[in-house]
Amino acid sequence: MKKLILMGRSESGKTTLKQALSGEKIQYYKTQYIHYEDIIIDTPGEYAQTHHLGYALALYAYEADVVGLLTAANEPFTLFPPNITCMVNREVIGIITKIHEKNANVKRAESWLRNAGCRRIFPVDSVTGEGIDRLLAYLQM
């Protein structure tokens, strides 16, 4: 199975997605440091939101086979600039979380991720499990 690193702003759903992909019970907790597991690297949102901590994400990206950029469907803005995917020599996929939340705008989140350079986009709902099987199947290819 491909190793996936999850990157996105705080509260974008990285840890909840990690729990869903791992078959764990969904429970909220704040990720304070990088969680390095067998197939998933979960990162704190502050690393993506803070310029100097972003360098750590670049380094950890080389420990993974796939970089997953997460954007929640209800986020009011994106952190990812245009064509950011060219910064790593790994495949970068887009993952849209919270697709059933109030004020969710999946099309807007998808356009942000495509603008960032993601060719594959996976809309998921970690709580209901919608889209998780499709993402897992991709990681098993």
Side-chain angles (χ1 to χ4, degrees):
M1 182 172 278
K2 297 174 189 170
K3 182 173 282 202
L4 172 68
I5 185 169
L6 302 174
M7 299 181 185
R9 73 176 195 87
S10 294
E11 300 182 18
S12 63
K14 297 178 301 296
T15 300
T16 306
L17 177 60
K18 176 197 74 94
Q19 293 169 350
L21 290 170
S22 300
E24 299 173 19
K25 179 182 175 190
I26 303 295
Q27 55 186 358
Y28 177 80
Y29 64 87
K30 174 73 181 106
T31 303
Q32 298 291 330
Y33 56 90
I34 293 178
H35 289 247
Y36 194 95
E37 297 181 7
D38 289 340
I39 62 161
I40 301 170
I41 302 170
D42 186 14
T43 63
E46 289 81 6
Y47 280 51
Q49 294 168 235
T50 307
H51 178 72
H52 294 305
L53 293 174
Y55 296 122
L57 290 179
L59 292 174
Y60 271 98
Y62 291 102
E63 297 290 324
D65 301 309
V66 179
V67 175
L69 299 184
L70 271 76
T71 297
N74 61 349
E75 289 183 18
F77 61 89
T78 183
L79 291 179
F80 306 120
N83 299 315
I84 190 68
T85 61
C86 69
M87 300 302 287
V88 295
N89 63 353
R90 303 284 187 270
E91 181 171 7
V92 181
I93 61 171
I95 303 171
I96 304 169
T97 58
K98 303 181 181 185
I99 59 175
H100 296 301
E101 288 286 317
K102 183 178 179 186
N103 302 323
N105 188 333
V106 175
K107 288 185 187 268
R108 179 180 62 195
E110 181 178 353
S111 70
W112 286 339
L113 290 168
R114 292 212 184 277
N115 191 44
C118 299
R119 291 191 177 120
R120 292 179 193 240
I121 307 287
F122 296 89
V124 299
D125 185 311
S126 299
V127 176
T128 67
E130 184 177 341
I132 298 297
D133 56 343
R134 190 170 154 250
L135 180 54
L136 281 170
Y138 163 75
L139 293 173
Q140 292 172 347
M141 291 180 10

